[in-house]
Amino acid sequence: MEPLKTPLVPFGDSHEFHDIFASLYPRLVSYARRYGATYPEDIAQEAFVILMQRDSPVDHPTAYLYGTVRTLSLTERRPLKNQSISLEAVVEPGKGPDADDDLLSQEVRERMKALSPTFRETLWLFVVEDLSIRQISEILDIPEATVKTRIHRAKAHLRNQLNSSGGLHVLA
Amino acid sequence: MSWHDPARSSEPESETALRNELRGLLGIPAQPLNYFENDPSPELILLADDLRREAQRRKHTARRQSSWLLLAAALPFTLALAGVGVWGIAQKHKADRLTAAVVHQEAEIQQLAAAQQHQVPQSPAADAQQLRVQGPQPKGQQPRALLMGQASPKGRPKELVIPVQRSPDFNPNNNESVKTH
């Protein structure tokens, strides 16, 4: 098939678009799976289409993609309109976290699970997805200060956890 | 525009240090996790191109849809405006007709008034002419109306007036009143 030549916002030329898609798509699928989406691939693809469909460019395309995936996943999980789902129900239980956690050790998984869903979500985006605080604030639609607070609280929880279990060997 | 994310590229060092610290606490290697392949697979390239086409198709459809929606939304207002405009024009024509009729009537009234004013000065002349035609009354002869005892024009009571031949030694103070029954 002949590759597309027309540049498309915000991906630039075809080659650049393929590289970015190849790097972000698996991450977005994994992120949708974390929210327990039934069809995480469809959601990740839809997020890309929505981004490319836009006329005006977005300031932070990565954050936009993650935010779209999050919204679509939560919407897919919502059987009735206006029915809210708790983060605990969204992130765990479900088949979602299993796939992501393949990349992490059992010990890390246990530590992440010990955190509250709110802190876990922020910490995951910051540490595992390697996103900035600014991007996380856009994805979760909360102020940057709140993101920082959550990260620092998660850090304190992790420290307490390590101190109580005497697991400082992880640092070593 | 290339894929440029300022939020990621302009990340302060404190954030990077915090991330590394958290990675240490969690036991995750300092390097980012290898989520993706170095070279995109042919399947991923095909999928990316398909998504790109889909985005372009939706973009065109959405544009067309939005213009149709705009048109549909503007149609009632346009119709209402056109209706008001037609009604206004009809009202203006009606007002013009009425104004013309009023002006015409005023002109007729003025003409009539001018004709009346022209006729009023002729009346005294006509009276004078009539008197001239009747001629002077013979001396000592009263009008027939007075002889027949009719009421005077001023509504005075009826009187029988007998004309008399004035004698040469007529004295206006030497007269006799005769009562009638």
Side-chain angles (χ1 to χ4, degrees):
Chain A
M1 188 179 290
E2 193 179 335
L4 293 167
K5 286 174 184 173
T6 51
L8 197 61
V9 174
F11 297 104
D13 62 0
S14 187
H15 182 68
E16 195 176 3
F17 169 57
H18 291 152
D19 285 347
I20 292 159
F21 183 80
S23 69
L24 279 175
Y25 178 69
R27 290 169 66 181
L28 291 172
V29 171
S30 161
Y31 188 58
R33 198 169 283 137
R34 277 191 68 77
Y35 279 97
T38 316
Y39 304 105
E41 292 86 3
D42 289 0
I43 287 175
Q45 290 167 22
E46 184 66 21
F48 271 100
V49 171
I50 289 171
L51 177 63
M52 288 187 282
Q53 201 182 329
R54 285 179 63 92
D55 285 326
S56 55
V58 291
D59 290 336
H60 311 295
T62 312
Y64 185 84
L65 282 171
Y66 271 91
T68 310
V69 165
R70 183 175 183 267
T71 307
L72 291 174
S73 304
L74 289 172
T75 313
E76 190 198 49
R77 283 290 303 273
R78 214 163 277 164
L80 292 171
K81 201 179 177 185
N82 299 329
Q83 183 179 336
S84 58
I85 288 179
S86 70
L87 274 173
E88 194 68 50
V90 167
V91 180
E92 286 180 17
K95 57 184 179 182
D98 297 340
D100 290 335
D101 292 351
D102 288 345
L103 296 159
L104 305 173
S105 67
Q106 179 66 31
E107 202 172 354
V108 175
R109 264 184 277 173
E110 291 302 320
R111 282 190 196 129
M112 291 287 273
K113 278 182 184 175
L115 295 171
S116 74
T118 312
F119 294 159
R120 186 166 55 231
E121 184 182 33
T122 313
L123 195 67
W124 179 275
L125 290 170
F126 188 60
V127 176
V128 182
E129 299 290 342
D130 205 29
L131 297 171
S132 69
I133 288 174
R134 181 80 182 273
Q135 287 173 316
I136 295 167
S137 77
E138 284 202 9
I139 293 165
L140 302 179
D141 199 20
I142 54 174
E144 284 184 47
T146 310
V147 177
K148 280 180 191 168
T149 308
R150 286 183 186 179
I151 289 169
H152 282 288
R153 284 189 182 171
K155 186 177 138 187
H157 277 289
L158 285 173
R159 277 197 187 283
N160 287 337
Q161 205 180 325
L162 286 170
N163 287 338
S164 61
S165 64
L168 284 173
H169 62 280
V170 176
L171 283 171
Chain B
M1 177 189 166
S2 62
W3 188 267
H4 176 65
D5 206 332
R8 189 69 187 85
S9 57
S10 62
E11 191 181 35
E13 283 185 12
S14 59
E15 276 186 33
T16 315
L18 180 63
R19 186 182 287 112
N20 288 334
E21 193 181 352
L22 284 165
R23 276 192 180 135
L25 285 171
L26 284 167
I28 300 172
Q31 296 297 322
L33 292 170
N34 187 21
Y35 267 92
F36 35 86
E37 303 156 354
N38 291 329
D39 292 324
S41 65
E43 290 82 14
L44 271 181
I45 289 173
L46 277 177
L47 179 61
D49 287 339
D50 281 348
L51 293 179
R52 200 175 203 177
R53 282 194 197 89
E54 173 65 13
Q56 281 176 337
R57 189 190 65 77
R58 280 195 205 175
K59 212 181 215 179
H60 293 305
T61 313
R63 267 189 201 147
R64 226 174 292 142
Q65 248 180 2
S66 63
S67 43
W68 274 110
L69 278 173
L70 269 175
L71 200 68
L75 192 63
F77 292 106
T78 314
L79 285 175
L81 276 176
V84 168
V86 168
W87 181 79
I89 289 167
Q91 291 297 309
K92 192 183 177 302
H93 283 308
K94 197 175 170 183
D96 287 346
R97 275 200 308 274
L98 285 171
T99 310
V102 166
V103 168
H104 185 67
Q105 276 183 351
E106 277 183 0
E108 277 184 352
I109 289 166
Q110 279 179 354
Q111 272 183 347
L112 284 172
Q116 285 280 8
Q117 278 181 351
H118 191 65
Q119 280 178 353
V120 167
Q122 283 181 347
S123 302
D127 289 347
Q129 196 176 4
Q130 194 177 357
L131 286 172
R132 238 178 286 128
V133 168
Q134 283 176 354
Q137 291 286 335
K139 200 175 177 180
Q141 191 175 350
Q142 291 298 319
R144 183 178 287 258
L146 292 176
L147 288 173
M148 295 300 291
Q150 288 178 351
S152 68
K154 290 184 182 174
R156 282 184 293 199
K158 293 177 182 179
E159 283 181 347
L160 178 62
V161 180
I162 302 167
V164 291
Q165 290 290 330
R166 287 177 185 173
S167 61
D169 54 347
F170 172 72
N171 184 5
N173 296 323
N174 188 13
N175 57 1
E176 266 185 302
S177 296
V178 179
K179 286 184 183 175
T180 56
H181 297 284

